[in-house]
Structure formats: C-alpha cells, structure tokens
Amino acid sequence: QVRLQESGGGSVQAGGSLNLSCEASGLYYDRHCMGWFRQSPGKRRERVAVIDRLGGTSYADSVKGRFTISRDDAKNTVYLQMNSLRPEDTDTYYCAAVLLSLATACIEEVVSPSYRGQGTQVTVSS
C-alpha cells in the first residue's frame, strides 16, 4: 500500500520559514518524480515544486527564489524548504508522486499525481 506522510506544517508570521517533509512507503521511490501542490477548500490545486528522479527541479513562478525542494532517496523522503513566507502562501500542502516523469513535465502533472498524501496545513499571518 502506497503511503505519503507529510509533516512540518504550522503557523508562522510573514517572512518566516518552514520545512516540510514527506516520507514515502510502498512505492518504487526512485522511479517517481516527487513534488508538492497546495489547495484550499473551493480553490483549484496549485502546483508548487517538483524534483525528478535525476535531481531536476521545477518551481511555480510564485515560489521561485523562496522555496527549495530536495530529496533523499536513501530515506525515501522529499523536503520543501519554504523561506520568506507570505500570507498568500497559506494553504494545505500535499505531497505528490508522479511515475516516471521528468521535472519539465512533472510540474504540470503534479496536480493530478499517481499518489498524494493527506496534506499538512501552512498558515502565514501578516
């Protein structure tokens, strides 16, 4: 059974930082592009960042220069370091896995992934 378990969400003030983690189990981790999307009730899913199995990355324009995605294949874990957070970054963040996709395609596919986690809430106050 595939499981993506997110952690690291919370509440911070604008300008602060959070580091999200997602540990994957039950899938061939090194065959998947890993990433994050975010969504609030009643809103469309928004792509955030992805990292493919070759280490290639891609980011949404809204987070470029502020967020950094990385992966540790030995731990089957992907991370999202979020700096200079803004109130508009407030959302539920979901970890996602896309099978056999490189970053240039994965950034589009991450909003309809092969698998996703349950989400972790990020709240940024002004």
Side-chain angles (χ1 to χ4, degrees), residues 108-124:
E108 303 297 330
E109 297 167 345
V110 70
V111 293
S112 297
S114 306
Y115 306 101
R116 68 168 179 88
Q118 294 300 306
T120 186
Q121 179 66 35
V122 171
T123 302
V124 185

Side-chain angles (χ1 to χ4, degrees), residues 13-82:
Q13 290 190 327
S17 299
L18 285 172
N19 189 25
L20 305 184
S21 300
C22 170
E23 183 175 1
S25 59
L27 80 168
Y28 290 103
Y29 183 79
D30 59 355
R31 296 183 185 179
H32 287 77
C33 174
M34 303 298 296
W36 300 85
F37 67 88
R38 60 191 183 187
Q39 187 176 27
S40 290
K43 291 176 59 179
R44 294 179 64 180
R45 291 181 180 180
E46 179 184 3
R47 57 186 61 86
V48 176
V50 300
I51 183 165
D52 64 32
R53 53 199 170 93
L54 302 179
T57 59
S58 186
Y59 297 88
D61 288 343
S62 58
V63 307
K64 280 181 182 176
R66 301 188 297 123
F67 292 9
T68 302
I69 191 169
S70 61
R71 62 191 288 166
D72 185 339
D73 288 356
K75 297 181 179 179
N76 284 7
T77 299
V78 61
Y79 305 95
L80 185 68
Q81 177 64 44
M82 304 187 295

